[in-house]
């Protein structure tokens, strides 16, 4: 009898301990479940105001540089080589403009310009004929791949020669860790680093055409099969925000690169170059950019107040 009671007591304790362990594990599993913000690529810390005043961004690679002084305000994994997607098109634009080709020359979109690598969509049907100047605008504003492909294909030495010119230009800009494989950015072998892309943005900013085009909110063009003009919106929604003063902008996305954004913007009276790479989530790169602007504005205000106190 005593043996039965002892056995019952041991089994009861074992069952109670097992039940407790399951309960604890369930609670831990629930607490570790990612929030919607985390699924979008933003950690809980990034969705809140940082009380310590430090900047945190969700993008895997980020670099903020004062364009005038070269001062690095923030850096995160800036020398890692990564795909850059349609940020490539800034180099495409520079090579196109450097060639001094007639911008009013009409170019047809052909089957060669159709994306068979990523199967991306385009508002430019095959057979559409537009001047080189309009293709450049559509490639930069709407990040249209057929437009960029047509620009490269109609280079004097063809698309292969165009890509070669892109890589020569990169070396001239001291972008020693960068490599370009096509004019669209669809090829994941278009590779660079945040540090190299700062150099590319600085160079692209020297082209008035690129500054004007990339900061245009939308553009209309007549394309084949449409009686009315087709609208091409800028892929960077921040262009349409009144609280931003943007001097140059380009976005990019393919799966291998994540969401990318490079910009030149005036913040607190200073020209800043912002590079954000490998963001995940529909609004992560924009959220990072907004967080950066507010952080610079806040730190600039604190610096100004401290300087005023010292001067007085």
């Amino acid at each position: 009898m005593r043996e039965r009671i002892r056995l019952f007591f041991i089994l009861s304790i074992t069952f109670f301990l097992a039940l407790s362990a399951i309960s604890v594990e369930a609670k831990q599993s629930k607490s570790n479940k990612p929030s919607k913000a985390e699924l979008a690529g933003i950690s809980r810390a990034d969705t809140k105001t940082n009380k310590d005043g430090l900047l945190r961004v969700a993008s895997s690679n980020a670099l903020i540089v004062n364009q005038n002084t070269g001062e690095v305000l923030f850096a995160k994994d800036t020398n890692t080589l990564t795909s850059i997607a349609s940020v490539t098109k800034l180099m495409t634009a520079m090579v196109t403009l450097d060639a001094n080709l007639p911008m009013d020359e009409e170019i047809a979109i052909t089957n060669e310009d159709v994306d068979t690598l990523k199967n991306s969509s385009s508002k430019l049907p095959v057979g559409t004929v537009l001047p080189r100047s309009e293709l450049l605008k559509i490639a930069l504003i709407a990040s249209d791949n057929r437009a960029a492909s047509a620009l490269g294909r109609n280079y004097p030495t063809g698309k292969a020669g165009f890509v070669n010119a892109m890589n020569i230009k990169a070396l001239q800009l001291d972008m020693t860790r960068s490599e370009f494989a096509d004019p669209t950015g669809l090829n994941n072998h278009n590779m660079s680093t945040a540090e190299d892309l700062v150099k590319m943005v600085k160079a692209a900013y020297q082209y008035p055409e690129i500054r004007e085009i990339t900061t245009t909110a939308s553009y209309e063009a007549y394309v084949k099969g449409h009686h009315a003009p087709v609208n091409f919106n800028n892929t960077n929604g921040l262009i349409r925000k009144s609280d931003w003063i943007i001097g140059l902008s380009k976005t990019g996305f393919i799966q291998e690169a994540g969401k990318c954004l490079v910009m030149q913007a005036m913040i607190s009276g200073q020209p800043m170059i912002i590079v954000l790479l490998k963001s995940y989530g529909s609004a992560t790169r924009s959220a990072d950019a907004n967080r950066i602007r507010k952080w610079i504005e806040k730190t600039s205000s604190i610096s100004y107040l401290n300087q005023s106190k010292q001067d007085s």
Side-chain angles (χ1 to χ4, degrees), residues 244-245 265-272 274 292-293 296-297 300:
W244 276 94
I245 304 172
M266 291 295 293
I267 306 176
S268 293
Q270 291 294 316
M272 301 293 177
I274 300 171
I292 287 166
R293 179 173 59 81
I296 293 174
E297 289 171 345
S300 296

Side-chain angles (χ1 to χ4, degrees), residues 19-36:
L19 189 63
S20 299
I22 291 171
S23 177
V24 169
E25 185 178 353
K27 288 180 180 179
Q28 288 178 339
S29 176
K30 186 176 181 180
S31 66
N32 289 333
K33 184 179 179 180
S35 66
K36 289 182 179 179

Side-chain angles (χ1 to χ4, degrees), residues 15-135:
F15 176 76
F16 176 76
L17 291 173
L19 189 63
S20 299
I22 291 171
S23 177
V24 169
E25 185 178 353
K27 288 180 180 179
Q28 288 178 339
S29 176
K30 186 176 181 180
S31 66
N32 289 333
K33 184 179 179 180
S35 66
K36 289 182 179 179
E38 288 173 313
L39 289 173
I42 309 172
S43 69
R44 288 190 179 96
D46 289 322
T47 61
K48 299 176 181 178
T49 301
N50 299 315
K51 294 180 180 180
D52 56 12
L54 299 177
L55 175 63
R56 296 181 178 88
V57 298
S59 300
S60 299
N61 316 94
L63 185 56
I64 310 167
V65 176
N66 185 308
Q67 186 180 7
N68 282 346
T69 66
E71 177 189 1
V72 175
L73 281 74
F74 179 84
K76 178 182 178 182
D77 204 5
T78 61
N79 205 32
T80 296
L81 204 59
T82 181
S83 294
I84 60 171
S86 286
V87 172
T88 296
K89 292 184 176 80
L90 285 180
M91 183 62 79
T92 299
M94 286 191 285
V95 170
T96 297
L97 293 169
D98 286 349
N100 292 315
L101 300 170
M103 298 305 287
D104 59 353
E105 179 185 351
E106 293 195 332
I107 296 173
I109 300 296
T110 72
N111 286 321
E112 291 182 59
D113 303 315
V114 175
D115 170 26
T116 57
L117 185 62
K118 305 289 186 182
N119 297 313
S120 59
S121 61
S122 172
K123 290 184 178 181
L124 296 177
V126 171
T128 296
V129 178
L130 291 171
R132 181 177 278 108
S133 60
E134 290 200 51
L135 289 178

